[in-house]
């Protein structure tokens, strides 16, 4: 079945997370911001295969070529597809360090099997990576050319994109990406608990972080692995400190 984008505003779409809740844990939403001459992505997909599917949908909407990829954080499922787009990336400085280190590893199924031997707690995540990647030929991790420490604003063909570091328990390099004109905020995985292999029983969303992101001038919140929600819903989860039953 052909993939279809979800339109959030005149110039903003997402390539939605995998509809299967298990696969969605490692196939996140990818944001697509289209200006007159450029396309900017929020995250790069989990694999070249995922990225190629995204490319096809970019053709469907006649999006201009990809100009930049903003990494919400540098977990593999947000980064490993980036090489397909032929565009530079933007990341937080902690993510830059992380990606430089990751680039030194001998990526491939043999290496992943060795990693599973070394740290069995990472097995589910690493197996998901192996399934997503399918093959490793010519694989490379796109390193950020633009790096922020706290905030960075981009003004592209009249579209304002605000990037701000928020950190958090899930990934220290997490940033949020705000589009003030379309009142959309991409928050990545910033309020999620730590990745599975680092998680303790009882770990849940960082509700205080969520509350800190609620602003009256934003109507739509897009996180990494759930469907987009309205500000009201986002705020309600943050205030009630209760996860919706279908949340990841
Ligand atoms: Zn993550």
């Amino acid at each position: 079945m052909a993939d279809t984008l979800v339109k959030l505003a005149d110039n903003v779409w997402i390539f939605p997370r995998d509809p299967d809740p298990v696969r969605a844990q490692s196939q996140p939403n990818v944001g697509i911001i289209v200006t007159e001459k450029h396309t900017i992505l929020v995250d790069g997909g989990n694999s070249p295969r995922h990225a190629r599917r995204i490319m096809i949908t970019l053709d469907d909407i006649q999006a201009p070529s990809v100009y930049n990829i903003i990494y919400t954080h540098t977990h593999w499922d947000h980064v490993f597809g980036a090489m397909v787009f032929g565009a530079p990336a933007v990341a937080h400085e902690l993510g830059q360090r992380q990606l430089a280190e990751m680039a030194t590893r001998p990526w491939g199924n043999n290496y992943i099997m060795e990693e599973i031997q070394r740290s069995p707690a990472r097995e589910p995540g690493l197996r998901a990576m192996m399934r997503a990647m399918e093959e490793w030929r010519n694989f490379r991790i796109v390193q950020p050319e633009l790096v922020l420490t706290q905030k960075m604003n981009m003004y592209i063909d009249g579209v304002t994109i605000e990037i701000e570091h928020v950190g958090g328990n899930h990934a220290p390099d997490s940033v949020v990406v705000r589009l003030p004109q379309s009142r959309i905020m991409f928050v990545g995985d910033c309020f999620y608990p730590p990745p599975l292999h680092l998680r303790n029983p009882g770990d849940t969303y960082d509700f205080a972080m969520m509350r800190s992101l609620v602003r009256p001038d934003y109507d739509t919140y897009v996180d990494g692995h759930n469907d987009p929600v309205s500000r009201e819903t986002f705020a309600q989860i943050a205030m009630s400190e209760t996860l919706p039953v279908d949340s990841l």
Side-chain angles (χ1 to χ4, degrees), residues 130-149:
M130 213 154 46
R131 275 194 302 275
M133 280 299 298
E134 201 172 42
E135 59 142 326
W136 295 90
R137 195 184 306 264
N138 300 323
F139 175 67
R140 73 184 180 90
I141 298 174
V142 175
Q143 303 294 314
E145 287 184 17
L146 283 173
V147 173
L148 68 143
T149 48

Side-chain angles (χ1 to χ4, degrees), residues 73 75 77-78 170 189 225:
H73 62 303
H75 286 160
D77 53 326
H78 300 255
H170 181 77
D189 299 357
H225 300 268

Side-chain angles (χ1 to χ4, degrees), residues 6 10 40 42 68 83 97 141 148 152 178 238-239:
V6 176
D10 275 349
I40 297 93
V42 181
N68 235 310
M83 58 179 274
R97 247 176 273 166
I141 298 174
L148 68 143
M152 177 187 290
R178 292 188 297 252
M239 298 306 289

Side-chain angles (χ1 to χ4, degrees), residues 35 43 48 60 62 84 99-100 122 176 193 221 242:
T35 72
D43 286 329
D60 291 343
Q62 295 177 311
V84 166
L99 292 176
R122 294 179 60 209
V176 297
Y221 285 74
T242 308

